[in-house]
Amino acid sequence: MKIILASTSPRRQELLKMAGVDFTTMAVHIDESWQIGEHANDYIKRMVESKFEKACEQPLQGRNLLITADTIGVLPDGGILTKPCSQPDAYAMWDKMSNASHEVWTAVCAGVVDEGFLMTQQSMICKTKVHFVELTDAMKHDYWQSGEPLDKAGGYAIQGRAMAWVRSIDGSYTNVVGLPLAQTLELIKNVQS
């Protein structure tokens, strides 16, 4: 069975490769706008399932296992941290995370599609608590100037320069990178059986 990761995220691709998974990639584009009043759990579930539906619309030959994923940050008050759209947006998010804890949630959806027909589908959400040091204006400025925060949920990459901001984590490190690897491999195994 062919495995297709419906994501162009280099981090997700790298993690699956490190685990020895043989896969191809597919780009899917959806509207990722958060709806006013939408709970983080509902938002991330909608994102990952919308990506899966979009992937299923592609012309696929034979039997395929599709994987989609979406990652967000979640503040203790339930506020959602998505990709920053501007420098002020990133700074506002970082101010809320400075010297405090937040969670990183990744939803993963996997399913088997045979000759265009959905045979089985499962999804899950993995949550990891991340505690940041106190962030100074200079730290935020230098990090923004690096260009690294632009396409990252919460505006940071734990595997990049922002690793210096992380005092501790409780849960899956690969989840914070963008794909909870052990949980994803288990999900793949479950939908294959």
Side-chain angles (χ1 to χ4, degrees):
M1 184 174 357
K2 187 176 173 185
I3 296 176
I4 302 172
L5 174 65
S7 171
T8 56
S9 163
R11 294 162 298 283
R12 290 186 184 126
Q13 293 174 26
E14 185 181 333
L15 287 167
L16 276 183
K17 283 179 190 168
M18 286 171 50
V21 177
D22 184 23
F23 66 97
T24 58
T25 60
M26 169 197 299
V28 291
H29 302 286
I30 62 165
D31 178 5
E32 297 189 25
S33 302
W34 174 73
Q35 296 172 356
I36 295 172
E38 189 172 27
H39 185 274
N41 196 67
D42 297 329
Y43 171 78
I44 197 167
K45 191 173 180 208
R46 181 171 61 83
M47 288 300 99
V48 76
E49 289 177 357
S50 295
K51 288 178 181 181
F52 190 86
E53 287 172 19
K54 194 75 165 178
C56 285
E57 291 172 7
Q58 308 305 313
L60 301 171
Q61 301 295 316
R63 195 170 174 89
N64 300 277
L65 192 153
L66 293 174
I67 304 166
T68 59
D70 195 70
T71 302
I72 59 171
V74 181
L75 296 168
D77 66 2
I80 298 173
L81 304 166
T82 56
K83 297 171 187 174
C85 55
S86 64
Q87 181 180 357
D89 185 35
Y91 278 41
M93 285 194 283
W94 297 338
D95 286 343
K96 292 174 184 172
M97 294 186 279
S98 178
N99 198 32
S101 293
H102 63 279
E103 289 185 337
V104 175
W105 296 7
T106 300
V108 182
C109 185
V112 175
V113 178
D114 195 349
E115 295 295 339
F117 293 98
L118 180 62
M119 308 304 289
T120 182
Q121 176 185 349
Q122 291 182 31
S123 59
M124 60 91 179
I125 299 174
C126 182
K127 302 176 183 181
T128 302
K129 185 173 269 193
V130 181
H131 191 86
F132 270 11
V133 297
E134 188 167 355
L135 305 178
T136 65
D137 288 342
M139 289 165 74
K140 290 182 281 189
H141 173 78
D142 289 348
Y143 191 46
W144 179 259
Q145 293 302 317
S146 75
E148 191 176 270
L150 290 173
D151 67 338
K152 313 292 189 301
Y156 75 95
I158 194 170
Q159 75 281 9
R161 290 179 59 176
M163 69 175 65
W165 292 8
V166 179
R167 178 173 286 131
S168 63
I169 70 167
D170 181 13
S172 167
Y173 168 79
T174 58
N175 180 47
V176 185
V177 177
L179 190 71
L181 200 48
Q183 295 86 340
T184 300
L185 295 176
E186 190 174 332
L187 192 61
I188 291 170
K189 183 179 167 188
N190 288 343
V191 297
Q192 283 179 323
S193 56

